[in-house]
């Protein structure tokens, strides 16, 4: 893989949630002055507050903060390629990262697919954080009324709660509880008008060596919360989850295995799962114990797409074993659990694979 790939973050959230305000405030931070941002319309981001330095052409402007702002007039791939070409030619300053602001009613999965499934884009870009903004006054009602809002929340790595000053503490607490139920692996943070947003939203992600273990430990803490509220044990260490981790037909559940898995078997099982139910699997995050591999392997994905696995140097808190959190819509966890156990021989004696898993794996394409 190309080590010089540009990290690309996706900022989403339903209409009026405050994602444009968050992006404007992030771009004003000195440490994010080497950021390029792709949005739909200049007017939505309030460039008057960021002070336009100069216009490169009708699609790109440079800001006094040092950031580069670009519009999407065609498809996302064309915008990304054009941005990289301008950087190569020196018509715009070199940027260290990209933030893509989606429209308020967008499902983020196609954007992730564009970045992860296209071979040319995959050579130049890698996916960073998927950040979803949810406002307190309308967040709960949007989750109830709009499937897009649910998908945005379920897919997120970071959930930013806004406009707490426009609602009661009780309303904010209810929203936090709902978000934690829908996506127990996402980091929850609150942002008020008086607060400075955390630059780590665009500076740190699971690919960074310094924060990778911390990120995975947080996932596992979320998995433990799901795991701790179950009705009864299931064969092979798999459990049915309590309705606390369910919102309508969306639910979070955990797959576990206390023994090392065969990479070829697991990869084939996961490919088949996504081929049959990719639209239903809104988010998947897991830590794998694999045969022939000393340390843990991280796997994560959004709907049909699974990112290349990452290797950790050691087991978080010294606890070995496979733990996978799945957030799914309309998918029976018991069926997934049974197929996982049967296909991966969970509970059977361990065996030696004919080949060891590769150190890197290309992304599974949309099927």
């Amino acid at each position: 893989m190309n080590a010089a790939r540009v990290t690309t973050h996706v900022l989403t959230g339903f209409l009026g949630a405050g994602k444009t305000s968050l992006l404007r405030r992030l771009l004003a931070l000195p440490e994010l002055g080497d950021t390029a941002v792709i949005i739909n319309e200049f007017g939505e981001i309030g460039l008057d507050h960021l002070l336009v330095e100069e216009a490169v052409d009708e699609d790109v402007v440079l800001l006094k903060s040092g950031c580069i702002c670009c519009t999407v007039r065609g498809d996302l791939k064309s915008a990304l390629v054009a941005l990289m070409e301008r950087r190569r030619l020196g018509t715009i300053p070199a940027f260290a990262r990209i933030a893509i602001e989606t429209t308020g009613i967008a499902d983020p999965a196609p954007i992730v697919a564009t970045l992860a499934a296209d071979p040319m884009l995959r050579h130049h870009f890698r996916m960073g954080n998927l950040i979803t903004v949810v406002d307190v006054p309308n967040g709960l009602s949007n989750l109830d009324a709009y499937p897009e809002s649910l998908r945005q929340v379920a897919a997120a790595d970071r959930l930013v709660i806004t406009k707490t000053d426009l609602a009661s503490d009780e309303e904010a607490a209810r929203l936090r509880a709902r978000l934690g139920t829908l996506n127990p692996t996402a980091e929850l943070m609150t942002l008020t008008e008086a607060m400075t947003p955390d630059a780590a939203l665009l500076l740190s992600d699971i690919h960074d060596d310094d924060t990778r273990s911390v990120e995975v430990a947080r996932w596992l803490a979320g998995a433990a919360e799901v795991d701790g509220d179950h009705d009864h044990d299931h064969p092979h260490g798999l459990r049915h989850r309590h309705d606390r981790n369910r919102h309508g037909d969306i639910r979070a559940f955990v797959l576990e295995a206390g023994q090392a898995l065969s990479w070829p078997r697991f990869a084939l099982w996961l490919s088949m799962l996504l081929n049959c139910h990719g639209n239903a699997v809104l988010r998947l995050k897991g830590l794998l114990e694999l045969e022939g591999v000393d340390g843990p392997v991280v796997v994560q994905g959004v709907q049909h797409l699974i990112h290349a696995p990452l290797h950790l140097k050691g087991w978080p808190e010294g606890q070995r074993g496979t733990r996978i959190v799945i957030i799914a819509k309309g998918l029976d966890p018991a069926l997934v659990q049974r197929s996982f156990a049967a296909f991966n021989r969970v509970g059977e004696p361990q065996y030696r694979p004919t080949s060891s898993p590769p150190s890197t794996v290309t992304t599974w394409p949309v099927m």
Side-chain angles (χ1 to χ4, degrees):
M1 301 297 287
N2 181 6
R5 291 184 301 163
V6 177
T7 302
T8 305
H9 306 280
V10 176
L11 177 63
T12 188
F14 207 70
L15 297 168
K19 61 184 179 299
T20 296
S21 174
L22 170 60
L23 183 56
R24 175 176 55 80
R25 293 159 69 183
L26 283 169
L27 296 183
L29 298 176
E31 55 266 55
L32 295 178
D34 53 353
T35 301
V37 57
I38 297 177
I39 59 175
N40 290 325
E41 296 291 343
F42 284 137
E44 294 182 4
I45 196 172
L47 289 179
D48 54 319
H49 295 95
L50 293 173
L51 301 179
V52 176
E53 178 73 22
E54 64 176 296
V56 176
D57 54 36
E58 64 175 351
D59 295 324
V60 178
V61 296
L62 305 182
L63 311 177
K64 283 189 177 296
S65 63
C67 300
I68 302 153
C69 193
C70 170
T71 55
V72 179
R73 296 188 181 275
D75 59 26
L76 177 60
K77 178 178 178 179
S78 298
L80 289 167
V81 170
L83 206 55
M84 291 296 288
E85 181 64 10
R86 289 185 178 103
R87 188 177 79 160
R88 185 186 69 82
L89 295 174
T91 58
I92 60 174
F95 48 85
R97 71 198 62 82
I98 295 175
I100 300 172
E101 182 191 2
T102 73
T103 63
I105 57 174
D107 180 348
I111 295 176
V112 177
T114 298
L115 291 168
D118 186 280
M120 183 177 69
L121 292 183
R122 205 164 59 227
H123 179 75
H124 293 289
F125 306 95
R126 69 169 176 82
M127 186 68 195
N129 293 322
L130 204 161
I131 306 159
T132 299
V133 183
V134 186
D135 67 297
V136 177
N138 300 301
L140 289 174
S141 60
N142 287 340
L143 289 170
D144 290 332
Y146 300 104
E148 298 87 356
S149 181
L150 281 169
R151 289 181 176 274
Q152 291 168 356
V153 168
D157 299 301
R158 308 282 187 270
L159 288 166
V160 181
I161 300 174
T162 60
K163 303 183 182 180
T164 55
D165 57 320
L166 301 180
S168 66
D169 292 343
E170 182 181 351
E171 289 174 303
R174 285 204 303 269
L175 178 62
R176 289 183 67 89
R178 178 74 62 82
L179 296 178
T181 295
L182 285 170
N183 190 338
T185 65
E187 182 178 3
L188 272 172
M189 53 187 69
T190 300
L191 182 65
T192 67
E193 286 297 322
M195 296 170 61
T196 299
D198 189 353
L201 282 169
L202 302 183
L203 289 177
S204 177
D205 62 75
I206 193 172
H207 296 275
D208 298 325
D209 292 337
D210 294 337
T211 59
R212 188 180 300 175
S213 295
V214 175
E215 182 82 3
V216 173
R218 184 176 53 74
W219 291 1
L220 297 180
E225 291 184 10
V226 177
D227 206 31
D229 215 3
H230 59 274
D231 293 324
H232 60 275
D233 288 342
H234 188 74
H236 312 305
L238 306 174
R239 299 182 177 97
H240 294 295
R241 305 304 161 198
H242 191 272
D243 280 347
R244 187 179 73 83
N245 299 297
R246 177 175 181 174
H247 176 82
D249 60 349
I250 291 183
R251 35 179 127 180
F253 57 94
V254 180
L255 303 178
E256 297 171 311
Q259 65 189 55
L261 304 179
S262 160
W263 173 257
R265 281 183 169 272
F266 175 80
L268 182 57
W269 170 81
L270 185 55
S271 295
M272 294 175 66
L273 174 69
L274 299 181
N275 187 36
C276 296
H277 304 290
N279 289 332
V281 180
L282 304 181
R283 197 68 160 110
L284 180 148
K285 293 184 178 181
L287 194 67
L288 308 179
E289 180 180 8
L290 298 176
E291 293 175 338
V293 179
D294 292 333
V297 176
V298 176
V299 62
Q300 62 165 328
V302 178
Q303 293 187 28
H304 291 89
L305 286 160
I306 299 295
H307 301 290
L310 298 172
H311 292 248
L312 296 184
K313 296 178 180 179
W315 291 92
E317 301 180 354
Q319 184 178 355
R320 302 178 68 92
T322 292
R323 283 155 285 172
I324 305 168
V325 181
I326 295 178
I327 304 170
K329 176 179 174 62
L331 193 59
D332 185 355
L335 294 178
V336 179
Q337 291 165 346
R338 285 200 295 269
S339 70
F340 173 76
F343 211 96
N344 291 283
R345 297 178 173 174
V346 174
E348 295 183 11
Q350 288 184 289
Y351 63 99
R352 299 302 302 173
T354 57
S355 61
S356 298
S359 59
T360 59
V361 178
T362 54
T363 306
W364 277 286
V366 176
M367 296 182 180

